[in-house]
Amino acid sequence: MSNSNREKGRESWGSRLGFIMAASGFAIGLGNIWRFPYIAGNNGGGAFLLIYLLIVLVIGVPLFYAEAGLGRKAQAGAITGMRKLAGKGSPWVSIGWLGTLAALLIMSYYLMIMGWLFAYFFNIGIGTFQGITSEQAAVIYEDLISNPLAVLGYSIIPTLLLGIIVSKGVKDGIEKFVKTVMPLLFVMLICLAVFSLSLPGSFEGVVWYLKPDFSQINANTVLAALGQAFFSIGIGLASAFTYGSYLKPHGSNLVKDGAWVISLDTCIAFLSGLVIFPALFAFQMAPNSGPGLLFLTIPTLLDQLPFGYIFGLAFFLLVIIGAITTGVGLIETLAANVAELFDLKRKASVWIIISVTFVMAIPSILSQGPWSNVQLFGMDIFGLIDYVSGNILLTLGGLLISLYVVFQWTFKRFMNDINTGTVSMKLSSAWKPVISYLIPLSIAIILITGLM
C-alpha cells in the first residue's frame, strides 16, 4: 500500500471528546495510579510533587503539543512520520525509533503489573484480604510476585483484552472503550481520597505529601520527576505522536484539547497521592515501599471501609480499566509503526506486537521470583527496564523533540502549526524563550547530572 493510499484510508477520532478521553486514558492509567505514588514515595513526597508540577507546566505542556503536533502534521506513526517530515535516513528519525523502543520496553513489564492487578481482583473476590493486617498484606504481595507461573497466567487475561480492543480500530475500539470507563475511574478515586483523608493519623501523610522538604531534592529527584512527567503524559513514547496522527490536520483544536489532557492527567496523579499517602501514615507503613506500594496500601485501606469487599472489587476493576487504557495506547503505538513499516493490516500487526510483548514480559516476571538475585547495575531486570525506559529513553526522546522544534521546525512554524484549528486559546510568542532555550537546556542538564 503506498503512502498516499494509506493516508486516504487513515482512521481518525470520531470527536474531540474521543481524542481527549483516549489521550487522557493513556496518560492516566498505571502511570499515575501505580507509578506516580511509588516514585513520589521514593523521592521525598512534597519535594518531588513540587518539582513534578513545575516540570509538567513548563516542559510537559509544550512538548506534548510538539509531539502530538508532529503526529498531526505527519498523519503517520512515529517512525514513518519522522521519515516524512525529516527525510529517510535523517538523524531526527531517531525520535520515532527511541519512542517506539521505550514503548516496547515499558509494555514488556506493564503486562506483569496488569497480571498483579487481575490477581488482586480475584483475591478480593474470594475474600483473601478480609481482616488482614498490613504485615499480612505484605506477605500476600511477596508470595504473588515471586510465583512466576501465577503471574504469567494472570497476565494472559490483559494480553488478550488489549489485542481485542486495539484490533477493532481507533474509533470503534479505543475511543468507545475510553469514553465509557474514564469518568468511572475519576469518581472512584475521589471517593477513595475522601475516605483515606478521614482515617485517624492520615493528616501526617497529607503534610508529608504536600509540604516540600528541600533537603530531599537532588539530581536523581529531578531526573525521576522529569521521567515520571514524560511517562505520565506520554512524551517520548511515540504515543502522543500516534494519537496526534489520528487528528484531522485542519479540524482539531490541539492547544485546548492538549490542555484538557494534561490537566486531567495531573489531577489524577495528585488524587492518587491523596489516596495512597494519608492511608500509609494512618496504617504506619513506609512511603518508600517501591513498586508494590499500591498493592500494600489499598487492600489494608479497603478492609477498613464499610462494604469494603464491594468497594475493593470496584476499585481494582477500575484500576484494571485504567491500566488497559494505557496499554491500549502502547500497543496502538507499536502496532501502528509495525503496520506502516512492513505494510501489514491492523489485526496482523496488533497480534504480532501482543505476542512479542508477552514473551518479553517473562524476564521481568522471573526477576521478581527465581531470578531475583540477578542484578544489573544494582537493579533487578524489572527495575533496570523501568529505569532505562522511564528515565533515560523518555528523557532523551523529549530532548530530541525539543531540539527538532528549535533547529528544524523553528519556533514560528511550530507556533503556527500548533495554533491551526484554534480560535481563542492560542500558543503565543511569549513561549519562544521557554521552548527555544529553557526546555532543551533543562532536559540536557537534568539528564546528564541525573546519570552522573
Side-chain angles (χ1 to χ4, degrees):
M1 186 187 294
S2 69
N3 284 339
S4 60
N5 287 336
R6 187 182 290 124
E7 283 172 35
K8 286 176 185 176
R10 188 170 185 78
E11 293 184 87
S12 61
W13 301 110
S15 64
R16 283 183 62 195
L17 181 63
F19 168 70
I20 292 169
M21 285 292 103
S24 300
F26 169 77
I28 288 166
L30 283 184
N32 283 341
I33 301 172
W34 163 70
R35 198 175 190 272
F36 175 81
Y38 100 73
I39 296 291
N42 284 348
N43 288 278
F48 175 88
L49 178 64
L50 177 62
I51 295 169
Y52 174 80
L53 292 175
L54 287 171
I55 287 173
V56 167
L57 180 63
V58 178
I59 299 177
V61 173
L63 285 187
F64 178 82
Y65 288 151
E67 187 168 344
L70 285 172
R72 184 174 70 170
K73 190 179 178 71
Q75 291 290 288
I79 296 171
T80 53
M82 288 309 301
R83 284 177 176 176
K84 283 175 63 179
L85 297 173
K88 192 172 182 179
S90 166
W92 297 114
V93 179
S94 60
I95 290 171
W97 285 107
L98 272 175
T100 304
L101 177 60
L104 184 63
L105 291 176
I106 289 170
M107 195 64 226
S108 74
Y109 71 72
Y110 218 69
L111 287 175
M112 175 185 74
I113 307 299
M114 293 170 81
W116 296 356
L117 287 170
F118 274 95
Y120 266 62
F121 180 74
F122 173 75
N123 277 287
I124 287 174
I126 62 174
T128 302
F129 297 105
Q130 290 183 359
I132 64 165
T133 63
S134 56
E135 290 79 12
Q136 290 169 323
V139 171
I140 292 170
Y141 169 72
E142 291 297 332
D143 287 346
L144 168 67
I145 68 170
S146 61
N147 185 341
L149 286 177
V151 176
L152 199 64
Y154 281 115
S155 298
I156 292 172
I157 305 169
T159 303
L160 294 175
L161 285 173
L162 288 171
I164 292 167
I165 293 166
V166 180
S167 64
K168 286 181 178 294
V170 173
K171 194 182 296 184
D172 293 330
I174 299 171
E175 185 171 341
K176 280 186 178 178
F177 178 73
V178 296
K179 282 168 76 172
T180 304
V181 300
M182 289 313 298
L184 293 173
L185 181 61
F186 191 74
V187 170
M188 181 61 73
L189 273 175
I190 291 174
C191 293
L192 268 178
V194 169
F195 180 77
S196 185
L197 291 167
S198 72
L199 293 168
S202 63
F203 185 70
E204 189 180 347
V206 176
V207 172
W208 183 87
Y209 180 45
L210 298 183
K211 185 179 179 182
D213 177 2
F214 293 104
S215 67
Q216 297 289 320
I217 297 176
N218 56 36
N220 275 330
T221 307
V222 181
L223 180 61
L226 185 70
Q228 175 58 29
F230 286 7
F231 186 105
S232 180
I233 298 169
I235 296 165
L237 264 170
S239 296
F241 196 115
T242 304
Y243 275 11
S245 75
Y246 299 126
L247 290 169
K248 293 170 183 174
H250 302 289
S252 53
N253 189 334
L254 184 55
V255 176
K256 190 174 286 188
D257 294 351
W260 271 108
V261 169
I262 294 168
S263 298
L264 288 170
D265 171 66
T266 307
C267 185
I268 291 291
F270 181 74
L271 272 175
S272 298
L274 284 182
V275 172
I276 298 291
F277 295 118
L280 276 176
F281 280 82
F283 298 129
Q284 299 181 330
M285 297 166 74
N288 59 341
S289 301
L293 194 59
L294 174 74
F295 301 92
L296 297 172
T297 312
I298 296 299
T300 313
L301 171 61
L302 293 172
D303 193 55
Q304 309 297 314
L305 276 169
F307 308 108
Y309 170 82
I310 296 170
F311 212 70
L313 283 175
F315 175 77
F316 271 96
L317 176 62
L318 289 170
V319 177
I320 285 168
I321 289 167
I324 289 173
T325 61
T326 300
V328 160
L330 291 169
I331 295 296
E332 174 62 27
T333 296
L334 296 167
N337 278 294
V338 168
E340 291 172 2
L341 287 170
F342 299 102
D343 203 15
L344 297 174
K345 291 184 178 179
R346 168 178 282 275
K347 285 188 178 180
S349 64
V350 167
W351 288 108
I352 287 169
I353 288 298
I354 286 290
S355 303
V356 169
T357 51
F358 184 76
V359 171
M360 287 181 64
I362 295 172
S364 286
I365 292 171
L366 290 172
S367 75
Q368 303 304 293
W371 291 1
S372 58
N373 60 333
V374 178
Q375 297 284 307
L376 301 167
F377 304 101
M379 293 173 270
D380 62 32
I381 294 169
F382 160 51
L384 181 65
I385 292 173
D386 184 35
Y387 180 81
V388 169
S389 58
N391 285 11
I392 298 175
L393 293 182
L394 295 192
T395 305
L396 189 56
L399 177 60
L400 287 177
I401 292 167
S402 70
L403 292 174
Y404 181 86
V405 172
V406 174
F407 295 111
Q408 289 291 111
W409 208 345
T410 71
F411 180 79
K412 186 175 181 180
R413 284 190 293 154
F414 164 74
M415 185 177 70
N416 290 336
D417 285 344
I418 298 303
N419 286 334
T420 298
T422 301
V423 178
S424 54
M425 184 177 172
K426 292 191 175 186
L427 197 69
S428 73
S429 56
W431 278 94
K432 184 174 182 178
V434 175
I435 290 169
S436 300
Y437 306 107
L438 180 62
I439 290 177
L441 283 172
S442 299
I443 298 174
I445 291 168
I446 292 167
L447 180 62
I448 292 166
T449 53
L451 291 175
M452 288 175 63

